Amino acid sequence: MKILVTGAAGFIGSKLMWMLAQRGDDVVGIDKINDYYDPRLKYGRLREFGINIPATDELGSTDSLPLWGGQGWGSSSLPTGEGQGWGSCSFYRMSIDDKPALDALFEREHFQKVVNLAAQAGVRYSITNPYAYLQSNLVGFLNILEACRHYGVEHLVYASSSSVYGMNEKVPYSEDDKVVTPVSLYAATKKSNELMAHAYSKLYGFATTGLRYFTVYGPWGRPDMSPMLFANAISQGKPIKVFNNGDMIRDFTYIDDIVEGTICVIDHQPVASQCEHGVPYKVYNIGCSHPVRLMDFISEIEQAYGRPAEKIFLPMQPGDVYQTNADTTKLETECGYKPHWSLHDGIQKFMEWYKSDKNPLRSE
């Protein structure tokens, strides 16, 4: 199967490319590789999952030109198995904002499926940098929809977010809940993506599936997310910021469960005759369904690191919500999704990576 993964140097995207290639898919990855967070982490992910990048390319042009690519994955990153067929993979430094380059890529590659994970991430960042979200999350997403429409893509899977639930007080969150009270621009753009996808599925007949990702963690995670922030602070002997005085609940989900669930969705293309109003459109929650109190999460980090954290307790920040809790019944029933990783095991794996030489941002 020929699959495009956008945001391929990201936390979810890089692991998704690797797992799709493992099972034999022909994968093309693109990523702008901006400096929202340290690009060394993005280049490190690509190398870890088999894309061989010359060091000189790390400071290369940001133009929409292929900087590197290759057939297959580095053998060091793949398990061995009798009868296992590997797909091919190539990577291009490209932004979904760049419509001419994106159209040229679609015209050349003839993708059957597209997984759009490219977006400006971060709830708090959207408070101070709103225009970055409009360009990437709205204009860029429209470019993806238009390319899917014009170049015969069968199924678009795209990243939505648990943040669309906003001020909803009913938990666990269900896909049937109303999502009309976002508390950040980031959340508003993700809900807009769902509405745009529905319109294109209705108008042009190709299938779209949105995934409302809940808090993802694990090795190679983003440095602006709590596991990395807490581990960095502990390693440097600095205090960690604990918002809402620690009274917060999150549905932390390990990266492997997230990627396996995403692949389940790729393989379960909505059929118009089986969807509401005959529109081949679906939205799913994807999380762990076992929410954890923030203080318990911090305790797991402390135990895995082997050192207690100094804590500064602060009020709730703008754009944050008290609780996220996914009802994943629909995804489990329709696509066979089942998360396997416990918080304890996931944090252990994260901390092993954090302390290792693989972590390009390790502080000690």
Side-chain angles (χ1 to χ4, degrees):
M1 189 184 305
K2 190 65 169 288
I3 302 176
L4 172 66
V5 177
T6 75
F11 182 26
I12 299 173
S14 55
K15 189 66 178 285
L16 177 63
M17 278 210 306
W18 177 66
M19 291 184 71
L20 289 172
Q22 273 191 305
R23 72 176 196 168
D25 290 313
D26 188 359
V27 188
V28 175
I30 65 172
D31 199 295
K32 184 178 181 178
I33 310 189
N34 63 17
D35 60 358
Y36 167 65
Y37 59 81
D38 196 323
R40 289 180 297 167
L41 194 60
K42 301 176 185 183
Y43 289 112
R45 291 174 183 139
L46 291 171
R47 288 199 185 94
E48 173 71 9
F49 296 127
I51 298 292
N52 296 315
I53 308 165
T56 53
D57 281 338
E58 291 195 13
L59 299 177
S61 168
T62 58
D63 294 338
S64 297
L65 296 172
L67 295 186
W68 53 81
Q71 295 298 312
W73 296 90
S75 59
S76 62
S77 66
L78 292 174
T80 58
E82 206 173 289
Q84 176 67 63
W86 306 116
S88 65
C89 180
S90 55
F91 177 86
Y92 300 93
R93 188 171 187 174
M94 180 186 297
S95 173
I96 61 172
D97 298 357
D98 190 338
K99 188 176 188 303
L102 196 66
D103 287 344
L105 182 71
F106 272 74
E107 184 174 16
R108 183 176 72 237
E109 298 290 348
H110 305 289
F111 300 114
Q112 295 166 276
K113 305 213 174 186
V114 174
V115 184
N116 183 57
L117 302 176
Q120 178 57 59
V123 170
R124 292 169 191 152
Y125 189 73
S126 69
I127 304 298
T128 55
N129 297 273
Y131 286 97
Y133 291 77
L134 297 182
Q135 188 63 28
S136 181
N137 299 10
L138 297 181
V139 175
F141 189 66
L142 178 60
N143 290 343
I144 291 289
L145 288 168
E146 280 286 287
C148 289
R149 166 195 174 189
H150 288 292
Y151 296 102
V153 172
E154 301 168 6
H155 186 196
L156 167 64
V157 178
Y158 61 94
S160 185
S161 169
S162 62
S163 66
V164 301
Y165 290 104
M167 297 174 68
N168 283 19
E169 295 181 355
K170 171 187 157 292
V171 291
Y173 297 147
S174 166
E175 295 91 345
D176 295 328
D177 296 339
K178 289 185 178 180
V179 284
V180 294
T181 56
V183 295
S184 69
L185 180 62
Y186 171 73
T189 63
K190 288 300 184 179
K191 179 55 186 174
S192 297
N193 288 170
E194 295 179 6
L195 296 172
M196 294 163 72
H198 186 278
Y200 269 70
S201 287
K202 170 62 177 174
L203 289 169
Y204 307 113
F206 65 89
T208 61
T209 305
L211 288 173
R212 292 174 177 171
Y213 289 113
F214 283 67
T215 310
V216 188
Y217 74 99
W220 297 101
R222 281 178 20 211
D224 61 326
M225 298 294 285
S226 55
M228 284 279 276
L229 292 172
F230 294 161
N232 283 337
I234 293 172
S235 69
Q236 298 172 37
K238 296 180 179 178
I240 63 174
K241 296 178 180 179
V242 183
F243 295 112
N244 204 37
N245 298 306
D247 185 19
M248 298 178 76
I249 297 172
R250 290 290 180 268
D251 199 334
F252 291 100
T253 313
Y254 190 68
I255 181 63
D256 287 25
D257 285 335
I258 285 288
V259 172
E260 288 171 8
T262 301
I263 292 175
C264 286
V265 168
I266 293 171
D267 293 340
H268 284 78
Q269 181 172 318
V271 177
S273 61
Q274 300 172 5
C275 296
E276 189 175 5
H277 305 302
V279 179
Y281 166 90
K282 292 280 187 177
V283 171
Y284 295 109
N285 289 336
I286 180 164
C288 186
S289 294
H290 291 89
V292 176
R293 293 195 174 276
L294 179 59
M295 295 306 295
D296 293 335
F297 183 78
I298 293 172
S299 177
E300 286 284 354
I301 293 280
E302 291 173 320
Q303 291 177 40
Y305 197 95
R307 187 187 302 174
E310 180 186 350
K311 305 171 187 69
I312 298 177
F313 292 93
L314 298 169
M316 184 80 84
Q317 297 296 289
D320 276 352
V321 295
Y322 164 66
Q323 178 172 233
T324 63
N325 181 358
D327 179 349
T328 59
T329 303
K330 183 179 177 182
L331 185 58
E332 293 175 18
T333 301
E334 296 185 6
C335 301
Y337 170 72
K338 190 68 178 177
H340 301 289
W341 283 81
S342 68
L343 179 67
H344 178 77
D345 291 343
I347 291 296
Q348 290 293 326
K349 282 293 184 182
F350 163 74
M351 198 56 68
E352 287 174 13
W353 167 83
Y354 179 84
K355 292 181 175 181
S356 75
D357 292 336
K358 290 184 177 182
N359 177 9
L361 309 185
R362 190 177 62 168
S363 59
E364 65 173 26

